Amino acid sequence: MTRMDLQILKFFLIFSYLHSTKGIQSGDIVLQNDARFIASIRLRSLEQQTIGIGFLCTASLINDRHAITAATCVTNFFASQLQIILGVENISSRNSRAVIRDIQRMHFHPNFNRTSESSELNGNVAVLQLSISIRQSPSRWSILQYSSIMNFHVQPIKISDFILNSSSICQFFSWSNDPTSCKRIPDLLGTSLAIVKSDECLNSDSIFCAHRLNDLNPILCGNLGGAFLCGNTLYGIATRNVCNEIGHFVLLPYYKQWILAVSKSNILTTQNAYGIVLISIAILLL
Ligand SMILES: *[C@@H]1O[C@H](CO)[C@@H](O)[C@H](O)[C@H]1NC(C)=O
Ligand SMILES: *[C@@H]1O[C@H](CO)[C@@H](O)[C@H](O)[C@H]1NC(C)=O
Ligand SMILES: *[C@@H]1O[C@H](CO)[C@@H](O)[C@H](O)[C@H]1NC(C)=O
């Protein structure tokens, strides 16, 4: 079979699988391999009781040491109360692919005002610094401390540079609630959405709106922090936890410079520190 045939076969298999499983209104089931950057934020104290019940919201990995999510998801907690989990598509499961990290520090955008009524719509973006890189072993005794192929199934996503026209069609990935029962669905879901200009959408430079392509079913039921991807780059994050036909998203190209600035400096210093430790050991051994 040619490469093309294999692609067609793959899509056919995925299609048949999705049709054989029970339909979920708010989207199709997505496997972790198809959204390798996707992460979830958990409240540690609840997670310790039952895996999955500490789920707070969806996040996206933007480099080996940082993730972004909605500021409103994490603003009421200390970093030490939270955990981030990558590498699994089922929020109630902790198999060997799960990559779990503590959160060391949270950066909130300067425009974000947690006490303001419009906090969801202004600077609702937080950059979370992981305690250690996803490429570094959390075990003190591991011989392999750092490897570029460690947790290769988890990969960061780039943030979009350009603002798109309305009616552009993009992909949305998130954990969410069933729109009728309001119960949390354990699977990661994905759906195609179209960017829309509408009266319901605020006239804001930093927010955009989107809806589903073929119907007006709600897209946002407990989808806070969900990832809006256009052409394989991260274009937006879901900014409200409501259940509406029109979803509001933080426009990430608008915040890109700030995001890169707060997520860059720390990486360099850790790598430098690591290098200095290695050189010191080398000198001692000589
Ligand atoms: C998710 O994981 C839990 C715990 O392992 C399991 O009971 C449940 O069936 C899984 N759900 C799906 C949809 O695979
Ligand atoms: C944040 O919002 C509150 C309530 O609207 C307001 O009183 C306060 O001045 C705002 N803070 C800043 C720094 O803008
Ligand atoms: C957006 O629309 C303008 C005018 O309608 C067009 O010139 C431009 O090429 C479009 N941009 C993209 C990225 O489609």
Side-chain angles (χ1 to χ4, degrees), residues 110 112-118:
F112 179 70
N113 179 351
R114 57 180 288 190
T115 57
S116 153
E117 269 183 18
S118 58

Side-chain angles (χ1 to χ4, degrees), residues 163-165 168:
I163 295 175
L164 298 171
N165 289 346
S168 299

Side-chain angles (χ1 to χ4, degrees), residues 88-204:
V88 286
E89 63 261 314
N90 177 341
I91 52 174
S92 308
S93 145
R94 285 265 175 101
N95 57 35
S96 59
R97 287 166 65 90
V99 177
I100 305 169
R101 293 290 182 266
D102 292 336
I103 291 173
Q104 187 166 41
R105 194 171 164 198
M106 308 198 280
H107 300 270
F108 292 94
H109 192 272
N111 291 358
F112 179 70
N113 179 351
R114 57 180 288 190
T115 57
S116 153
E117 269 183 18
S118 58
S119 62
E120 289 169 330
L121 304 173
N122 211 348
N124 190 9
V125 50
V127 173
L128 312 179
Q129 185 186 329
L130 280 49
S131 53
I132 56 165
S133 161
I134 55 156
R135 309 286 177 225
Q136 216 170 331
S137 167
S139 157
R140 220 174 272 266
W141 308 110
S142 168
I143 297 170
L144 195 67
Q145 278 295 319
Y146 187 97
S147 155
S148 60
I149 55 162
M150 190 182 288
N151 297 321
F152 195 70
H153 63 294
V154 176
Q155 292 292 336
I157 186 106
K158 270 176 69 173
I159 294 170
S160 312
D161 286 307
F162 303 109
I163 295 175
L164 298 171
N165 289 346
S166 58
S167 80
S168 299
I169 293 172
C170 301
Q171 300 297 315
F172 181 56
F173 297 98
S174 185
W175 283 280
S176 57
N177 296 336
D178 185 295
T180 39
S181 70
C182 282
K183 281 215 182 103
R184 188 153 289 288
I185 302 165
D187 306 283
L188 178 62
L189 298 182
T191 187
S192 294
L193 297 179
I195 297 176
V196 65
K197 276 209 162 52
S198 121
D199 294 342
E200 281 181 62
C201 191
L202 303 131
N203 198 7
S204 158

